[in-house]
């Protein structure tokens, strides 16, 4: 697969930091799969490994409490409104509110009497075609039928001679479990706003189940919550160790060297635990989402023996600084140097310290767009700043005005023709111009029409060269070579022009005299913490995951709680 190469960008330093005594190994976590505007009217499950399903709920300690079970291998959970099984188009195979001939109505008959167990209610319900058991706020009911409106339910009631049955309709929190592809209700659950349906695939714990949901395969169980009475928020209820297996193959690739995967496993586990404790998605009914907002997670399809081994060999290990879990941020590649958190996000973090990265460049040829160049004409910068509300009289200068000790841009400044200037600092050195990283330099070239004295080459920051004699260029593999007297540059449109000093009298660029700013950089992401490609390179050079982690995170230790 394509390496996700994700860059986690949110530093949650204000959150409570779990200390060693409070941290568990392999807690049960809830990962949101469909939620918010993606919540579903109906959610299918298909057994892949293991057969059948236990139906119930996850209690306050996240222990599964079984209410009943089904031996069906393909089931769906639908909200208790009228839903239909799609047979054509995008809805084929799913339940939705778009009408079709296979309808699951939300009007039912509640049989009289009270039942003290599932079996008692099931015995009563089984006397009728379309009878099923409902668990409503802790009580058992026997229900019959699934009509689309109250009038039809009344007609059904008369036909069945059930004058003493009560007609019940939709609810805000109820869900029905149906046999996929049919209108047959297997079980109904309504725990109000406090309890929601849980499903544990497999009829016992003897098999480690794998279950297909929306095209992906998952270990563990599922939870279906109608947040605020809406569609189904579907979460995977899974052990942290299994979750980490799913994450590392998305954040890296299972084909990467084992020690790199182990380093990623420790990062993913540590990062997940902090978010889990922080309750970032608590109001949505789960701990972590499945996107790079938390960490990319789409089940177990990419898991291999190697990625499983990476998790097993680091079982329960987290990264710590002074006895607290670290903020294990990482990015795709640092381009040659990581950066201190304080220079990117403004917060000092003792273990997130910028370093030159001597490893990453050795794999630069494997990394898509490791080195990159972006050019802006003065007019383009003028327009860009104007569009962002920085009204200017025409940008005439753009340069890096402050670099960190490791050479990353941490302050950039734009100056207009009136001498007014605007600076951007920290991570905005990347995001303001939508660049791939902060590891870059800026050079400018201007054509004929300038006046003035001897002229100079603006290199970066406040550096200028009066001549290119004695200057060196660095290529993608990190090797340097001396520049000759004639230096040519290629711009984003493929145009080649000779580098000439600004303010010089001779020559001229093919840009008609307009100043062009060339941003030359490498790396992708925020540059803080571990470089994933750097981890790859270190692993390839024989370093262990502990070497990798202690290089990118200064002064940490890696161990179980
Ligand atoms: Zn999230």
């Amino acid at each position: 697969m394509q390496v996700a190469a994700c860059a986690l960008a949110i530093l949650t330093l204000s959150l409570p930091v779990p200390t060693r005594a409070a941290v568990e190994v392999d807690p049960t976590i809830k990962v949101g799969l469909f939620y918010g505007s993606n919540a579903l009217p109906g959610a299918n499950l298909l057994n892949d490994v293991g057969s059948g399903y236990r139906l119930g709920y996850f209690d306050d300690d996240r222990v599964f409490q079984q209410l009943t079970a089904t031996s069906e291998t393909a089931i769906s959970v639908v909200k208790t409104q009228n839903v239909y099984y799609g047979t054509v188009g995008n809805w084929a195979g799913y339940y939705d509110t778009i009408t079709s001939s296979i309808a699951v109505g939300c009007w039912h008959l509640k049989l009289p009497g009270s039942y003290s167990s599932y079996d008692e209610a099931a015995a009563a319900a089984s006397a009728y075609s379309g009878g099923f058991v409902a668990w409503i706020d802790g009580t058992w009911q026997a229900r019959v039928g699934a009509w689309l409106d109250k009038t039809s339910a009344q007609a059904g009631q008369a036909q069945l001679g059930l004058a003493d049955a009560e007609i019940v309709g939709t609810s805000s929190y109820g869900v029905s479990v149906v046999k996929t592809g049919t209108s047959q209700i297997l079980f109904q659950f309504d725990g109000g706003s406090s309890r929601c349906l849980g499903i544990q695939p497999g009829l016992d714990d003897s098999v480690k189940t794998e279950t297909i949901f929306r095209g992906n395969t998952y270990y563990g169980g599922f939870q279906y919550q109608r947040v605020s009475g809406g569609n189904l928020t579907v979460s995977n209820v899974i052990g942290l160790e299994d979750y980490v297996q799913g994450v590392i193959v998305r954040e890296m690739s299972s084909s990467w060297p084992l020690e790199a995967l182990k380093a990623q496993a420790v990062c993913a586990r540590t990062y997940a635990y902090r978010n889990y404790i922080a309750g970032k998605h608590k109001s949505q009914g789960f701990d972590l989402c499945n996107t790079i907002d938390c960490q990319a997670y789409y089940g177990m399809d990419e898991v291999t023996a190697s990625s499983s081994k990476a998790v097993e060999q680091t079982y329960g290990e987290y990264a710590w600084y002074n006895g607290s879990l670290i903020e294990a941020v990482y990015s795709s590649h640092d381009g040659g140097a990581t950066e201190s958190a304080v220079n990117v996000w403004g917060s000092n973090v003792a273990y997130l310290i910028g370093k030159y990265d001597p490893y990453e460049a050795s794999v630069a040829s494997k990394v898509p767009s490791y080195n990159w160049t972006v050019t802006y004409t003065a007019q383009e910068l003028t327009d860009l700043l104007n569009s962002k509300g920085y009204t200017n009289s025409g940008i005439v200068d753009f340069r890096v005005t402050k670099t960190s000790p490791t050479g990353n841009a941490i302050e950039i400044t734009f100056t207009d023709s009136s001498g007014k200037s605007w600076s951007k600092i920290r991570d905005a050195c990347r995001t303001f111009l939508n660049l791939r990283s902060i590891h870059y330099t800026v050079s400018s070239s201007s054509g004929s029409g300038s006046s003035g004295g001897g002229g100079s080459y603006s290199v970066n920051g406040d550096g200028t060269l009066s001549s290119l004699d004695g200057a060196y260029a660095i290529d993608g593999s990190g090797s340097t070579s001396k520049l000759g007297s004639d230096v040519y540059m290629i711009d984003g449109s493929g145009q080649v022009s000779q580098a000439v000093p600004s303010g010089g009298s001779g020559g001229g660029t093919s840009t008609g005299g307009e100043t062009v700013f060339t941003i030359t950089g490498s790396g992708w992401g925020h540059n803080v913490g571990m470089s994933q490609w750097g981890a790859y390179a270190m692993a390839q050079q024989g370093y262990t995951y502990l070497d990798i982690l202690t290089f990118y995170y200064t002064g940490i230790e890696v161990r179980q709680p």
Side-chain angles (χ1 to χ4, degrees):
M1 63 160 282
Q2 180 68 40
V3 177
C6 296
L8 297 167
I10 298 159
L11 199 64
T12 51
L13 293 165
S14 55
L15 300 170
V17 181
T19 53
R20 185 166 293 145
V23 173
E24 295 169 76
V25 169
D26 201 18
T28 298
I29 60 168
K30 297 180 180 181
V31 187
L33 305 178
F34 283 81
Y35 48 87
S37 59
N38 291 323
L40 298 169
N44 305 18
L45 289 180
L46 182 65
N47 286 141
D48 189 17
V49 175
S51 185
Y53 301 91
R54 284 166 284 169
L55 311 176
Y57 59 88
F58 292 93
D59 69 16
D60 296 343
D61 296 323
R62 302 181 175 210
V63 176
F64 183 71
Q65 300 296 334
Q66 181 176 341
L67 295 172
T68 183
T70 174
S71 58
E72 296 291 345
T73 57
I75 62 171
S76 295
V77 180
V78 299
K79 61 178 177 175
T80 53
Q81 289 175 9
N82 292 335
V83 294
Y84 307 83
Y85 185 69
T87 52
V88 292
N90 288 343
W91 320 112
Y94 300 118
Y95 290 85
D96 208 311
T97 50
I98 295 150
T99 55
S100 82
S101 59
I102 303 170
V104 185
C106 66
W107 293 91
H108 318 290
L109 293 175
K110 178 192 167 210
L111 298 182
S114 61
Y115 309 94
S116 62
S117 68
Y118 177 90
D119 289 343
E120 275 185 26
S126 66
Y128 300 91
S129 167
F132 60 91
V133 174
W135 187 87
I136 310 291
D137 287 325
T139 63
W140 296 101
Q141 296 183 8
R143 293 185 167 190
V144 175
W147 291 278
L148 292 169
D149 53 64
K150 192 171 185 181
T151 310
S152 305
Q154 285 166 333
Q157 182 179 27
Q159 202 178 1
L160 291 167
L162 281 168
D164 53 353
E166 180 189 343
I167 295 175
V168 291
T170 182
S171 76
S172 295
Y173 296 102
V175 297
S176 297
V177 179
V178 300
K179 180 178 173 180
T180 299
T182 76
S183 54
Q184 185 190 343
I185 296 176
L186 301 168
F187 182 57
Q188 197 169 69
F189 181 102
D190 190 341
S193 59
S194 60
R195 285 235 183 280
C196 53
L197 178 72
I199 293 184
Q200 193 74 65
L203 297 177
D204 57 56
D205 288 323
S206 63
V207 173
K208 188 176 178 78
T209 57
E210 296 180 26
T211 310
I212 299 169
F213 167 56
R214 293 268 162 162
N216 293 320
T217 307
Y218 294 90
Y219 292 151
F222 299 86
Q223 175 183 280
Y224 304 84
Q225 183 169 6
R226 293 182 62 189
V227 177
S228 305
N231 281 342
L232 307 169
T233 291
V234 185
S235 304
N236 188 197
V237 185
I238 184 176
L240 177 60
E241 296 295 316
D242 281 344
Y243 163 80
V244 170
Q245 288 198 47
V247 169
I248 63 171
V249 294
R250 296 287 175 172
E251 296 284 355
M252 283 184 170
S253 158
S254 60
S255 67
W256 280 32
L258 179 62
E259 294 301 315
L261 290 171
K262 287 164 70 174
Q264 183 73 55
V266 173
C267 287
R269 187 182 290 115
T270 306
Y271 193 88
Y273 200 94
R274 278 188 65 135
N275 277 302
Y276 155 65
I277 290 299
K280 188 175 175 186
H281 291 284
K282 196 174 180 185
S283 65
Q284 293 172 280
F286 49 88
D287 305 312
L288 303 160
C289 72
N290 63 342
T291 73
I292 58 165
D293 171 66
C294 287
Q295 297 185 102
Y297 171 72
Y298 301 99
M300 298 298 151
D301 296 279
E302 307 288 338
V303 166
T304 64
S306 173
S307 60
S308 297
K309 196 191 263 188
V311 176
E312 286 161 18
Q313 292 186 358
T314 60
Y315 178 81
E317 290 184 358
Y318 300 90
W320 311 84
Y321 184 84
N322 267 352
S324 296
L325 288 181
I326 72 163
E327 185 79 39
V329 290
Y330 52 90
S331 61
S332 172
H333 44 291
D334 57 44
T338 67
E339 191 45 70
S340 300
V342 68
N343 288 331
V344 176
W345 296 309
S347 307
N348 251 311
V349 184
Y351 50 87
L352 297 176
I353 300 299
K355 284 187 170 180
Y356 288 107
D357 185 337
Y359 307 107
E360 203 187 79
S362 71
V363 295
S365 63
K366 291 179 190 287
V367 185
S369 306
Y370 184 84
N371 294 294
W372 47 267
T373 302
V374 175
T375 60
Y376 279 94
T377 64
Q379 187 61 49
E380 286 168 340
L381 289 182
T382 299
D383 295 343
L384 181 80
L385 266 80
N386 277 323
S387 76
K388 288 176 182 273
Y390 303 96
T391 306
N392 67 85
S393 61
I395 296 300
V396 297
D397 190 48
F398 160 50
R399 59 182 62 210
V400 176
T401 41
K402 201 170 177 186
T403 51
S404 71
T406 53
N408 293 312
I410 56 173
E411 182 187 271
I412 55 177
T413 302
F414 304 88
T415 306
D416 77 0
S417 58
S418 73
K420 193 173 173 187
S421 65
W422 295 264
S423 290
K424 290 280 143 193
I425 61 169
R426 301 188 188 125
D427 204 29
C429 295
R430 169 176 69 113
T431 55
F432 188 78
L433 293 172
N434 201 23
L435 303 173
R436 286 168 63 90
S437 82
I438 55 171
H439 199 65
Y440 63 78
T441 58
V442 179
S443 63
S444 62
S445 66
S446 60
S448 57
S450 305
S451 59
S456 63
Y457 296 85
S458 170
V459 178
N460 193 14
D462 40 31
T464 55
L465 292 174
S466 58
S467 136
L468 292 174
D469 195 26
Y472 284 77
I474 183 161
D475 72 10
S477 65
S479 54
T480 53
S481 55
K482 194 167 189 288
L483 291 176
S485 56
D486 292 337
V487 176
Y488 289 81
M489 298 183 197
I490 184 164
D491 72 11
S493 63
Q495 242 173 5
V496 175
S497 56
Q498 189 171 8
V500 294
S502 62
S505 53
T509 67
S510 51
T511 53
E514 189 178 11
T515 303
V516 176
F517 301 95
T518 302
I519 308 166
T520 307
S522 51
W524 186 22
H526 52 58
N527 282 60
V528 185
M530 187 178 77
S531 154
Q532 293 173 305
W533 280 105
Y536 184 112
M538 288 185 75
Q540 211 177 39
Q541 292 171 34
Y543 292 99
T544 68
Y545 76 107
L546 295 173
D547 295 330
I548 295 168
L549 291 166
T550 52
F551 174 73
Y552 287 107
Y553 304 105
T554 303
I556 62 155
E557 69 175 325
V558 176
R559 50 167 282 183
Q560 290 193 358

